[in-house]
Amino acid sequence: MSTTELNSTAKDLISVRAMIEELQAEAETLTDKLKAAMVDQGTEVLQGDGWKATWKNVSSTRFDSKAFKADHADLYSAYSKATVSTRFILSV
């Protein structure tokens, strides 16, 4: 790929990422409107023509690795393993 093509591709990616951020912000605004309607109506479920929205508490249990490491450093290091991954970053 030529330098011109690389520049064009990078600029296109930056533009698309900006559009995604704008759409995510818009989606969050619309979500907040539906949540506000649920609060106003005192319900966890809203339904319309071809859609249904639910918003309710969900309980879950997660392992607290920081606390475990602080209390049992020897076991933590015995059962920990290093991993390698790759990361793509495009900076402006």
Side-chain angles (χ1 to χ4, degrees):
M1 195 179 277
S2 72
T3 302
T4 303
E5 291 173 312
L6 289 171
N7 285 334
S8 176
T9 300
K11 287 177 183 178
D12 287 347
L13 178 56
I14 291 166
S15 175
V16 167
R17 285 182 176 174
M19 285 187 258
I20 289 170
E21 284 183 24
E22 289 173 18
L23 289 171
Q24 285 175 331
E26 185 177 344
E28 191 169 323
T29 299
L30 296 171
T31 299
D32 289 344
K33 285 182 180 182
L34 290 172
K35 287 178 180 179
M38 292 169 137
V39 169
D40 290 345
Q41 295 180 23
T43 185
E44 294 180 340
V45 179
L46 284 179
Q47 280 187 260
D49 296 331
W51 63 273
K52 178 181 178 180
T54 59
W55 185 38
K56 53 187 167 185
N57 293 329
V58 176
S59 181
S60 65
T61 303
R62 299 189 183 192
F63 183 72
D64 187 347
S65 62
K66 287 182 181 179
F68 184 80
K69 182 179 180 181
D71 294 343
H72 306 285
D74 54 336
L75 285 174
Y76 180 83
S77 54
Y79 286 93
S80 296
K81 65 178 183 177
T83 60
V84 177
S85 61
T86 58
R87 180 180 296 163
F88 178 80
I89 299 172
L90 177 62
S91 302
V92 194

